[in-house]
Amino acid sequence: MRRLRLAIPVLVSAAVLLSGCGDSYQVAASVGDLDLSHDDLEAEATAWGANAELMAQLDISSAPDQNAVPQLVVNEILNLHIQGELARLATIDAAETADGPGQLRDVRAGVESDFGPLFADFPDDLRQQIYQDITFLQFLSAVGGAPVDADVYVSARYGSTDVNDVVQPPSGALADPTPVLGL
């Protein structure tokens, strides 16, 4: 009986550690402190997949299985959020300069004007996140910035990141993962 009492804490600790190893308990992707859950990624991919104009821009006529979201869509979403957050982190100092807030507002207004029709039917919080990511990507392009050292994680089910933190799909899943929205 004494051995059992001593073994219980060890077994509980092992169960807790192992429970974190399964992909279902992890996020789909994370950058620094920003996490994207599997459910949020699936919901966003569904919204993108239902948008005929976005699918045309991604050069996807229709998915072979209407219930499946093409890997290219998932890669586009992951790359947008990862690169957008890295751009935000790289431009924090520039955004806080005297001219930064005005420049950022101008870039954001242009993003909303240019991309508004594409994302008009998206839920407001999702649309705002997409606009933010695009805004910081364009702001980084305008002001430049130092590379950031942030932890980037992508669940193996969606692929992995290369040296530039660009998502590469799982082997054989997609021939060309390059973002095609020009972001």
Side-chain angles (χ1 to χ4, degrees), residues 4-25:
L4 182 58
R5 269 192 249 156
L6 292 174
I8 289 176
V10 171
L11 293 173
V12 169
S13 296
V16 168
L17 286 173
L18 290 175
S19 70
C21 294
D23 193 44
S24 62
Y25 297 103

Side-chain angles (χ1 to χ4, degrees), residues 78-140:
L78 290 171
N79 281 317
L80 174 64
H81 292 311
I82 290 169
Q83 297 304 315
E85 181 62 9
L86 290 171
R88 187 189 71 77
L89 294 170
T91 59
I92 287 174
D93 291 339
E96 293 175 354
T97 64
D99 297 337
Q103 278 184 294
L104 208 49
R105 270 192 307 276
D106 292 346
V107 171
R108 175 63 182 246
V111 166
E112 289 182 12
S113 173
D114 294 345
F115 292 93
L118 278 177
F119 299 104
D121 294 335
F122 280 45
D124 190 51
D125 58 335
L126 177 55
R127 186 175 57 252
Q128 295 308 317
Q129 180 62 50
I130 291 168
Y131 289 166
Q132 176 181 308
D133 290 335
I134 297 170
T135 297
F136 278 107
L137 284 165
Q138 290 186 0
F139 187 63
L140 177 64

Side-chain angles (χ1 to χ4, degrees), residues 79 82-84 86 147-148 150 152 160-168:
N79 281 317
I82 290 169
Q83 297 304 315
L86 290 171
V148 292
V152 176
S160 60
T161 56
D162 63 16
V163 297
N164 296 317
D165 294 317
V166 174
V167 176
Q168 301 299 319

